[in-house]
Amino acid sequence: MANVIPKPTLFDEQAVQKVRRELKLDPQHLRRLRTVLLKHRGQDEAALAELPEGAREPFAQHIALHSLSLHKRCDSQQDGATKLLFRTCTGLLIESVILRIASGRTTLCVSSQVGCAAACDFCATGKMGVAQNLTAEEILDQVVQANQLLAAEDRRIRNLVFMGMGEPFHNEQQLYHTLDLLTSAEYFNHSPRRVLVSTVGIPDAMVRFAYKFPKVNLALSLHSARQDTRERIIPLAKKYSLEQLRDALMERQKIQGTESTVMIEYLMLASLNDSPDDAAALIAWLDGLRAHVNLIPCNPIDDAPHLTGSDRETIEHFSGLLKQARLTTTIRYSLGADVAAACGQLVQEKNREIVKQLKVIQA
């Protein structure tokens, strides 16, 4: 498998302007191309048609409209979710998930890394043995290609969540570049209030993020308000304590003002974090914070047979205790279970095989 040097993409402003000057293109042509592709969800041919006929082929030879290739599409037969498997220029696979909510809203869950170094015990992505950052172009192309697919259904991405593969704050620079372009009027013009970044909890990055993007939403994968329990399932918890995480959220709340609400993600694990005492610990930890608790039934993975999801009755009782304490609480029931859309099962073994091949070639 040879190393591939990708062409510059439409998001590489310096390269695009160089080609524009060489082809003597009016800047308005490029603005219209971006508008068709990024805002109107147009197909590639329609976007290139905004350029003069003689410039279309030369432009496409030097500037790529995509940095990912679609490897496979998996449509749920249960609830309308779609998993998209993309291949990067290095041959590794990542996944995005389109969630067609019954209300008519459409959400895209994007990946920010191949694999994840956080290595949470309950997550298939963290078991891959791979952790590689995606570029902003690769993150944004998940949005572009998903929107092109949805255009045929007269749908568009309304909400964007960084809940796919990877820990976004382990790829902080590219995350910020992605959000800059995503919310830019010249590119996607996507509302920052309809973007949510999920983290397992890196306090300094959470505060930096709040200063730089005060209108973008944050979700914290907490999963336990007991330090010893959290350390059992989240290795990073040994480095960042619950006290540090709470301090970071309080600081974020000061920065963002009264409209700020953090989503607390809480995976319900039988006999581990689902008792009334666990609920009491969570209620105490959230005191003074504006939070929305999202209780998540556990999706079992082969690499963690020792973890079992709480039953429905236990989840609902836990939810009731939180609501009695006046905490806004919802129970999330994952879409796309029949296509393993909840995490990185499908790409796990394939990426391991590809990495082995690359190591052999590099040796």
Side-chain angles (χ1 to χ4, degrees), residues 185-199:
E186 292 187 4
Y187 288 86
F188 292 85
N189 199 29
H190 193 94
S191 170
R193 297 192 184 279
R194 294 180 180 174
V195 180
L196 182 139
V197 174
S198 176
T199 178

Side-chain angles (χ1 to χ4, degrees), residues 169-290:
F169 290 139
H170 281 166
N171 192 12
E172 196 172 350
Q173 183 177 355
Q174 293 302 312
L175 170 67
Y176 291 171
H177 188 30
T178 297
L179 293 174
D180 280 334
L181 292 172
L182 188 70
T183 57
S184 166
E186 292 187 4
Y187 288 86
F188 292 85
N189 199 29
H190 193 94
S191 170
R193 297 192 184 279
R194 294 180 180 174
V195 180
L196 182 139
V197 174
S198 176
T199 178
V200 75
I202 302 174
D204 290 348
M206 290 159 61
V207 174
R208 287 192 297 269
F209 176 65
Y211 275 111
K212 187 162 180 60
F213 297 100
K215 294 182 180 179
V216 176
N217 300 298
L218 180 73
L220 172 63
S221 291
L222 186 68
H223 308 310
S224 179
R226 297 174 181 273
Q227 184 65 31
D228 57 342
T229 300
R230 197 165 190 268
E231 288 182 11
R232 286 176 60 185
I233 56 177
I234 302 174
L236 273 178
K238 297 174 183 176
K239 184 175 182 181
Y240 303 116
S241 70
L242 283 167
E243 182 179 1
Q244 289 174 293
L245 292 182
R246 181 178 159 78
D247 288 345
L249 290 180
M250 292 297 289
E251 180 69 17
R252 173 186 180 271
Q253 197 162 275
K254 292 177 185 176
I255 295 165
Q256 295 184 304
T258 57
E259 295 183 6
S260 167
T261 298
V262 63
M263 177 177 286
I264 300 297
E265 298 173 290
Y266 197 100
L267 186 67
M268 297 295 294
L269 297 167
S271 303
L272 186 63
N273 67 353
D274 63 351
S275 71
D277 286 344
D278 289 304
L282 179 58
I283 291 166
W285 192 82
L286 290 174
D287 184 42
L289 287 169
R290 290 184 292 275

Side-chain angles (χ1 to χ4, degrees), residues 36 40-43 98 100 144-157:
V36 170
H40 294 170
R41 302 159 294 148
Q43 299 302 311
I98 297 171
R100 298 172 181 83
V144 174
Q145 293 200 48
N147 255 334
Q148 286 181 319
L149 182 154
L150 288 165
E153 307 171 23
D154 197 26
R155 283 179 174 263
R156 66 167 61 245
I157 295 165

Side-chain angles (χ1 to χ4, degrees), residues 45-348:
E45 297 79 7
L48 289 169
E50 296 297 324
L51 303 180
E53 187 173 356
R56 295 168 193 170
E57 186 176 344
F59 183 86
Q61 287 176 348
H62 292 92
I63 301 295
L65 298 187
H66 302 287
S67 53
L68 301 171
S69 59
L70 183 60
H71 172 72
K72 188 176 182 181
R73 171 180 174 170
C74 305
D75 292 302
S76 170
Q77 301 304 307
Q78 295 179 175
D79 48 40
T82 296
K83 172 182 275 191
L84 302 176
L85 299 181
F86 292 106
R87 190 178 295 279
T88 69
C89 66
T90 59
L92 295 172
L93 296 178
I94 62 169
E95 60 188 33
S96 308
V97 180
I98 297 171
L99 303 171
R100 298 172 181 83
I101 312 301
S103 64
R105 298 176 181 177
T106 304
T107 296
L108 180 68
C109 178
V110 297
S111 294
S112 56
Q113 294 182 301
V114 182
C116 183
C120 297
D121 197 21
F122 50 79
C123 179
T125 301
K127 306 287 187 181
M128 282 184 190
V130 182
Q132 193 174 100
N133 286 338
L134 295 178
T135 64
E137 289 87 348
E138 289 169 328
I139 299 171
L140 290 167
D141 198 28
Q142 297 170 61
V143 180
V144 174
Q145 293 200 48
N147 255 334
Q148 286 181 319
L149 182 154
L150 288 165
E153 307 171 23
D154 197 26
R155 283 179 174 263
R156 66 167 61 245
I157 295 165
R158 182 184 187 275
N159 299 315
L160 188 67
V161 297
F162 286 75
M163 290 185 172
M165 297 165 61
E167 163 54 57
F169 290 139
H170 281 166
N171 192 12
E172 196 172 350
Q173 183 177 355
Q174 293 302 312
L175 170 67
Y176 291 171
H177 188 30
T178 297
L179 293 174
D180 280 334
L181 292 172
L182 188 70
T183 57
S184 166
E186 292 187 4
Y187 288 86
F188 292 85
N189 199 29
H190 193 94
S191 170
R193 297 192 184 279
R194 294 180 180 174
V195 180
L196 182 139
V197 174
S198 176
T199 178
V200 75
I202 302 174
D204 290 348
M206 290 159 61
V207 174
R208 287 192 297 269
F209 176 65
Y211 275 111
K212 187 162 180 60
F213 297 100
K215 294 182 180 179
V216 176
N217 300 298
L218 180 73
L220 172 63
S221 291
L222 186 68
H223 308 310
S224 179
R226 297 174 181 273
Q227 184 65 31
D228 57 342
T229 300
R230 197 165 190 268
E231 288 182 11
R232 286 176 60 185
I233 56 177
I234 302 174
L236 273 178
K238 297 174 183 176
K239 184 175 182 181
Y240 303 116
S241 70
L242 283 167
E243 182 179 1
Q244 289 174 293
L245 292 182
R246 181 178 159 78
D247 288 345
L249 290 180
M250 292 297 289
E251 180 69 17
R252 173 186 180 271
Q253 197 162 275
K254 292 177 185 176
I255 295 165
Q256 295 184 304
T258 57
E259 295 183 6
S260 167
T261 298
V262 63
M263 177 177 286
I264 300 297
E265 298 173 290
Y266 197 100
L267 186 67
M268 297 295 294
L269 297 167
S271 303
L272 186 63
N273 67 353
D274 63 351
S275 71
D277 286 344
D278 289 304
L282 179 58
I283 291 166
W285 192 82
L286 290 174
D287 184 42
L289 287 169
R290 290 184 292 275
H292 179 142
V293 181
N294 199 1
L295 302 179
I296 309 170
C298 178
N299 293 299
I301 61 172
D302 292 340
D303 285 326
H306 54 287
L307 296 178
T308 305
S310 307
D311 59 36
R312 178 71 179 256
E313 183 179 354
T314 299
I315 295 174
E316 290 184 347
H317 181 64
F318 196 97
S319 173
L321 293 173
L322 301 185
K323 290 177 179 178
Q324 286 176 20
R326 299 183 181 276
L327 285 173
T328 303
T329 307
T330 52
I331 300 173
R332 182 202 302 173
Y333 287 99
S334 300
L335 301 180
D338 57 326
V339 292
C343 44
Q345 288 98 326
L346 280 184
V347 300
Q348 185 175 4

